[in-house]
Amino acid sequence: QVQLVESGGGLVQAGGSLRLSCAASGNIFRVDHMGWYRQAPGKQRELVARITSGDSTNYADSVKGRFTISRDNAKNTVYLQMNSLKPEDTAVYYCNADILPVQPRVRLNYWGQGTQVTVSS
């Protein structure tokens, strides 16, 4: 069974930094795209950043220049370095990945359980 496990959320003051991690584990043949989404109370889930298996990245306009997504393919892990955090970054952050399991050999999309990030003003 494939799963994504996030860590690194918490409470931080505005202007501070946090680093989120998400590790994919289980019966994995290959991990393709990986990304981070977030959902604030009363709002829809939105893309924060995404990275391909070839390390191409894209970011939401609201986080460009402040957040950096990276990945360690040997560890099937994706990171999100968040700097210059603002109160409006407060949300539950979800890891997302397209994964090809060993069996069945069908690429599926997976979500982590979410980790809370709270930025105080």
Side-chain angles (χ1 to χ4, degrees):
Q1 188 75 6
V2 173
Q3 62 176 350
L4 300 177
V5 178
E6 300 124 333
S7 60
L11 173 65
V12 65
Q13 288 189 333
S17 298
L18 282 174
R19 189 191 194 209
L20 305 183
S21 300
C22 171
S25 63
N27 199 26
I28 296 172
F29 179 77
R30 189 181 72 235
V31 180
D32 293 331
H33 293 70
M34 303 187 82
W36 291 94
Y37 289 73
R38 67 186 181 186
Q39 188 168 20
K43 294 188 176 181
Q44 290 188 333
R45 192 172 297 189
E46 63 176 0
L47 174 68
V48 176
R50 202 161 180 243
I51 185 168
T52 69
S53 56
D55 287 340
S56 294
T57 60
N58 63 288
Y59 295 91
D61 287 343
S62 60
V63 306
K64 283 181 181 177
R66 299 188 298 122
F67 291 10
T68 302
I69 190 170
S70 61
R71 63 190 288 169
D72 183 334
N73 292 328
K75 297 180 179 180
N76 288 332
T77 299
V78 63
Y79 305 97
L80 186 67
Q81 178 66 43
M82 305 185 293
N83 298 328
S84 302
L85 282 160
K86 304 175 181 180
E88 50 263 44
D89 294 318
T90 295
V92 178
Y93 283 69
Y94 295 92
C95 178
N96 179 265
D98 290 333
I99 296 174
L100 191 66
V102 173
Q103 288 292 342
R105 196 66 64 89
V106 176
R107 193 172 77 168
L108 298 173
N109 187 257
Y110 294 85
W111 290 92
Q113 81 283 0
T115 185
Q116 177 69 46
V117 171
T118 303
V119 184
S120 63
S121 58

